């Protein structure tokens, strides 16, 4: 584990929050819950029928001792969750609300909204779109954020120093072609993620194929408009754009390409990509060619801590993502 992940694990241990996993029927989730409990990182809650979760535990070869298993149909909080859900949706039918909160994903979301869980982690058997839908319908978005997004925590080895450096890459998993308002949301949410996880002041680079007017195109205009919006909404944030990746990361290149002062050029720790093509390609190139570790995608912008998981996530991925989400909390 890297120093950054170790720090998140220590913070999660100290926080004492309880993550809820609505996919308790998956053996990877059960095995990860066992590890979280045994390592003292968190006390997990597995949502599912006792038979489903027990079968998953048997396949994983682990014990459920000390791990809470919650069947939504038997929950003593079912009526309260249905009422809370209906109150947030004025036209909701009470019977429909109860049917909705019986579903594991929505039940877990309502646990999070009610404060009965400290974070929700899902996605190994559920699509990202479905996880986001449940999040929007239960916990909703954070104040001032109009769109959810995601980030990867990228831990990039530094051979010269014999250490590693952390970066936030966003959005690499959710928003396909964000408009300027959405890019501003992504930048502001990513800055908050940077503060929580890297324990550094964010230096946010809005990336493009152009640096400070070196090219003229509508796609460049989108990025410069996002910069103006983000500066208006978060006036104290160190953010700049449009910047090519080398101008954002390499001081020598920044010195040649960027005229005047920039709080970000050459020293960015948050990279905001202009679309999902660039973000997905960017994080995978960094992972494959630089030997970086990519942890995520982690959802951001919600009113409560929650995250998506890759459907190919390993047990180690689930443990690390859980620690990161709890640390952000």
């Amino acid at each position: 584990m890297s120093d950054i992940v170790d720090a998140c694990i220590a913070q999660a241990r100290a926080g004492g929050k309880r993550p809820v996993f609505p996919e308790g029927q998956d053996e990877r989730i059960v095995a990860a819950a066992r590890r979280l409990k045994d390592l003292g990182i968190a006390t997990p809650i597995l949502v599912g029928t006792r038979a489903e979760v027990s079968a998953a535990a048997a396949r994983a070869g682990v014990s459920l001792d000390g791990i809470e298993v919650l069947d939504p149909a038997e929950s003593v909080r079912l009526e309260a969750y249905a009422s809370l859900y209906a109150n947030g949706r004025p036209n909701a039918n009470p019977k429909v609300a109860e049917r909705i909160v019986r579903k594991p994903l929505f039940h877990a979301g309502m646990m999070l909204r009610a404060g009965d869980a400290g974070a929700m982690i899902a996605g190994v058997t559920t699509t990202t779109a479905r996880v986001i839908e449940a999040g929007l319908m239960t916990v909703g978005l954070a104040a001032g954020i109009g769109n959810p997004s995601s980030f990867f925590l990228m831990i990039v080895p530094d051979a010269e120093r014999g250490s590693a450096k952390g970066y936030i890459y966003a959005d690499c998993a959710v928003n396909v072609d964000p408009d300027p308002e959405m890019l501003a949301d992504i930048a502001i949410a990513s800055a908050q993620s940077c503060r929580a996880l890297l324990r550094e002041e964010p230096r946010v680079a809005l990336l493009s194929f152009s640096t400070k007017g070196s090219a003229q195109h509508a796609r460049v205009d989108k990025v410069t408009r996002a910069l103006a919006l983000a500066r208006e909404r978060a006036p104290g944030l160190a953010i700049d754009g449009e910047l090519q990746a080398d101008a954002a990361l390499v001081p020598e290149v920044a010195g040649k390409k960027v005229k005047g002062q920039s709080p970000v050029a050459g020293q960015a720790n948050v990279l905001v990509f202009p679309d999902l093509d660039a973000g997905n390609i960017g994080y995978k190139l960094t992972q494959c060619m630089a030997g970086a570790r990519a942890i995520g995608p982690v959802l951001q912008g919600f009113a409560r801590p929650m995250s998506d998981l890759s459907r190919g996530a390993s047990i180690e991925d689930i443990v690390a993502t859980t620690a990161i989400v709890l640390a952000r909390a």
Side-chain angles (χ1 to χ4, degrees):
M1 290 268 186
S2 73
D3 290 343
I4 296 170
V5 177
D6 288 344
C8 290
I9 287 173
Q11 196 169 341
R13 280 196 182 105
K17 295 185 181 295
R18 305 179 68 206
V20 60
F21 298 87
E23 298 163 317
Q25 79 283 3
D26 188 281
E27 58 266 33
R28 291 167 295 170
I29 292 292
V30 178
R34 180 75 268 160
R35 190 173 299 180
L36 288 164
K37 177 68 174 176
D38 290 346
L39 295 176
I41 298 170
T43 302
I45 306 164
L46 299 176
V47 178
T49 68
R50 172 61 65 170
E52 288 174 336
V53 179
S54 295
R59 293 194 300 272
V62 300
S63 166
L64 291 171
D65 289 350
I67 296 175
E68 181 179 351
V69 177
L70 179 62
D71 183 346
E74 299 176 358
S75 171
V76 297
R77 298 279 284 153
L78 185 64
E79 186 176 334
Y81 292 159
S83 178
L84 183 61
Y85 177 86
N87 287 342
R89 308 178 79 81
N91 298 321
N93 181 299
K95 291 184 178 179
V96 172
E98 183 173 326
R99 284 201 299 272
I100 288 173
V101 300
R102 282 177 179 269
K103 298 176 180 179
L105 199 60
F106 287 81
H107 195 85
M110 293 310 300
M111 291 178 70
L112 187 56
R113 179 174 169 183
D116 295 331
M120 181 176 85
I121 317 293
V124 295
T125 63
T126 310
T127 65
T128 297
R130 187 67 171 158
V131 174
I132 289 173
E133 178 189 40
L136 292 173
M137 293 175 69
T138 55
V139 302
L141 293 172
I145 297 293
N147 301 276
S149 59
S150 73
F151 71 90
F152 276 86
L153 172 60
M154 302 297 296
I155 302 172
V156 183
D158 186 332
E160 291 184 5
R161 297 181 183 178
S163 61
K165 181 168 175 54
Y167 296 87
I168 301 296
Y169 279 28
D171 180 357
C172 304
V174 173
N175 295 290
V176 175
D177 189 13
D179 61 24
E181 289 76 13
M182 295 167 74
L183 273 180
D185 276 340
I186 293 166
I188 292 168
S190 298
Q192 294 168 351
S193 297
C194 174
R195 286 192 187 98
L197 297 178
L198 302 185
R199 300 182 183 183
E200 300 173 359
E201 273 303 300
R203 297 179 298 276
V204 183
L206 296 176
L207 299 182
S208 173
F209 62 84
S210 170
T211 294
K212 294 296 185 179
S214 65
Q216 303 296 317
H217 193 276
R219 297 191 70 81
V220 177
D221 295 340
K222 178 178 84 166
V223 176
T224 57
R225 174 60 181 155
L227 174 66
L229 290 170
R231 283 178 168 169
E232 181 181 332
R233 290 169 53 189
L237 179 62
I239 183 170
D240 206 358
E242 81 284 12
L243 295 171
Q244 291 166 292
D246 55 356
L249 295 168
V250 183
E252 294 80 9
V253 175
K256 295 176 182 177
K257 290 188 174 183
V258 179
K259 306 304 179 185
Q261 296 296 313
S262 170
V264 172
Q267 54 180 346
N269 55 10
V270 178
L271 302 183
V272 176
F273 295 87
D275 56 41
L276 196 57
D277 281 333
N280 190 272
I281 292 166
Y283 100 79
K284 288 183 177 177
L285 283 175
T286 308
Q287 183 181 36
C288 295
M289 299 183 74
R293 184 178 180 192
I295 302 173
V298 179
L299 294 180
Q300 59 184 5
F302 286 93
R304 299 284 189 276
M306 59 175 288
S307 190
D308 186 35
L309 291 164
S310 166
R311 274 172 282 178
S314 66
I315 295 167
E316 185 179 52
D317 292 335
I318 297 166
V319 171
T321 299
T322 302
I324 286 169
V325 174
L326 291 174
R328 285 182 69 240

